[in-house]
Amino acid sequence: MMTQSIKPTQQRDPEYFIHPSKFVLWLMIVASVMLFAAFTSGYIVRRGEGNWLIFDLPKMFTYNTVTIVLSSITMQWAYLSAKKDNLPMLKTMLLATLVLGIAFSVGQWYAWVELVENKIFWAGNPSESFIYVISGVHLFHMLGGLIFVAVVIGKTFQFNVHKKNLLSINLCTTYWHFLGLVWVYLYFFFSLNR
């Protein structure tokens, strides 16, 4: 009688062209790009109709632009640190990114305070409303980004982010750079289209 040895089969993870989480993130980014494109297109069309108040942008917008660019640098540094398994630097750069993101968000609030002090109100001229709505929608996206960074920080402190497990920090880095690019675009858009 012949005995057959039964070998346990290893279950392999399915191979994707693109990871489902990355696909969902890119869908969200594309949808957000369309949203901001619609807002800025509406801004240009409405400005062309007349009755458009021209005012100076809050100085805080400039500081916020520098802050978000710095946060993008620290986020990229965190990602590179994860790829090299440099966990102390990874933690430091993620925490720096979170602090800079919070500083940006608080700065946006102060920018709105500066607008109010200059008699630029939410329900005033259409040009006033646009600045609040567009910067507010970006701030909403930023709050989502801050939560994402906080989750990745939690995973990092549980040793779940390292060179063999880069998915969460890769997704977070992509989203964070998207936030930075959108704000830089909006800053220059507002500066050139008042």
Side-chain angles (χ1 to χ4, degrees):
M1 182 169 171
M2 197 169 162
T3 60
Q4 285 183 316
S5 61
I6 299 174
K7 293 182 181 177
T9 57
Q10 286 185 331
Q11 193 170 9
R12 292 178 51 190
D13 289 335
E15 292 181 23
Y16 301 106
F17 176 70
I18 183 170
H19 192 280
S21 298
K22 285 185 181 182
F23 183 72
V24 170
L25 176 67
W26 280 105
L27 280 180
M28 289 173 45
I29 287 174
V30 168
S32 296
V33 166
M34 292 172 64
L35 177 69
F36 285 108
F39 278 137
T40 53
S41 296
Y43 181 101
I44 290 170
V45 169
R46 180 57 187 89
R47 186 185 66 164
E49 292 178 1
N51 184 27
W52 194 258
L53 178 66
I54 297 174
F55 56 88
D56 291 330
L57 290 176
K59 289 184 179 120
M60 202 60 171
F61 276 5
T62 304
Y63 301 130
N64 287 345
T65 304
V66 172
T67 302
I68 204 164
V69 169
L70 288 174
S71 76
S72 209
I73 292 168
T74 58
M75 189 71 214
Q76 186 64 31
W77 197 342
Y79 176 71
L80 294 174
S81 298
K83 284 179 75 171
K84 295 177 183 174
D85 266 346
N86 185 347
L87 296 182
M89 186 59 71
L90 168 62
K91 292 174 184 177
T92 302
M93 289 299 108
L94 282 174
L95 289 169
T97 302
L98 184 67
V99 168
L100 288 167
I102 292 169
F104 175 88
S105 301
V106 171
Q108 289 298 80
W109 175 261
Y110 281 109
W112 293 338
V113 168
E114 190 178 334
L115 285 170
V116 170
E117 288 172 352
N118 292 328
K119 308 287 188 252
I120 308 298
F121 300 107
W122 162 269
N125 187 278
S127 64
E128 298 170 293
S129 300
F130 268 107
I131 198 101
Y132 281 103
V133 169
I134 295 172
S135 62
V137 170
H138 182 269
L139 183 58
F140 177 75
H141 282 76
M142 187 67 169
L143 295 177
L146 288 171
I147 292 167
F148 201 171
V149 171
V151 167
V152 173
I153 289 171
K155 288 182 174 190
T156 301
F157 277 89
Q158 294 171 353
F159 304 104
N160 289 330
V161 176
H162 45 77
K163 71 179 179 184
K164 293 184 180 176
N165 190 9
L166 294 171
L167 180 63
S168 61
I169 194 164
N170 184 299
L171 296 174
C172 190
T173 302
T174 301
Y175 186 68
W176 199 263
H177 289 329
F178 162 72
L179 291 173
L181 284 171
V182 168
W183 179 255
V184 169
Y185 161 73
L186 291 174
Y187 176 74
F188 284 108
F189 175 83
F190 287 138
S191 298
L192 297 172
N193 295 289
R194 291 185 289 143

